[in-house]
Amino acid sequence: VCVCLSVNNSLSLPAYMNIKVVQTTTDPDTGKPVHMLSSNLHCSRSGGSERLANFRFDLPEAKTIGRSLSTMGNVVMALSDPSRKFVPYRDSCMTRLLQDGLGGSCLTTLILCLRDSTQHQIETLSSLRFASRFAKIVNHVRRSEVCELSLSLSL
């Protein structure tokens, strides 16, 4: 878990990006693919715990963002407690997309952007509590490989 300070953003929009890198090895005699490695990089920028009065968006969008962040908190809470059996990944598009990184098979890093002002100490403490729960999540990192690809695979 990395923690750093940042200045206030004029807009706070959640964003998501996925980059997939695929490396395929072909048999030099036949030219057919025989080995494939793939890697995903998921980047998600979540809005913070902004108060509705400070929100610069219309009410439906603010509710959607709030619901998504609330679901992320529920998923992290469920994953940080080993006695919980159900994890509500499907309650939000963002948590569904980040499922591999949240308790899955990926290496995961959380970066917090905090303000050192006493005016924002409640949000800062809330973010640090979230990071504390997030740090308790244990991912089982494994390498995913596909060997001896079938002839029906077209690249």
Side-chain angles (χ1 to χ4, degrees), residues 16-97:
Y16 178 80
M17 177 179 63
N18 182 24
I19 299 171
K20 183 170 188 160
V21 179
V22 178
Q23 175 189 0
T24 305
T25 306
T26 57
D27 185 339
D29 297 330
T30 63
K32 295 179 182 172
V34 293
H35 190 257
M36 182 189 322
L37 291 174
S38 69
S39 180
N40 288 323
L41 173 64
H42 300 279
C43 299
S44 175
R45 187 225 175 265
S46 305
S49 57
E50 290 93 349
R51 305 238 179 259
L52 195 56
N54 299 333
F55 237 93
R56 294 167 174 80
F57 308 111
D58 59 349
L59 188 59
E61 188 174 355
K63 285 183 179 179
T64 302
I65 292 169
R67 218 178 352 231
S68 185
L69 292 173
S70 177
T71 301
M72 174 73 88
N74 292 339
V75 167
V76 169
M77 182 74 76
L79 290 169
S80 64
D81 182 3
S83 67
R84 302 231 351 222
K85 302 295 182 205
F86 176 73
V87 180
Y89 290 115
R90 295 183 181 205
D91 291 354
S92 165
C93 183
M94 181 172 65
T95 53
R96 184 72 173 130
L97 289 170

Side-chain angles (χ1 to χ4, degrees), residues 86-112:
F86 176 73
V87 180
Y89 290 115
R90 295 183 181 205
D91 291 354
S92 165
C93 183
M94 181 172 65
T95 53
R96 184 72 173 130
L97 289 170
L98 297 174
Q99 184 172 350
D100 282 342
L102 298 170
S105 62
C106 299
L107 291 173
T108 304
T109 301
L110 173 68
I111 300 172
L112 295 178

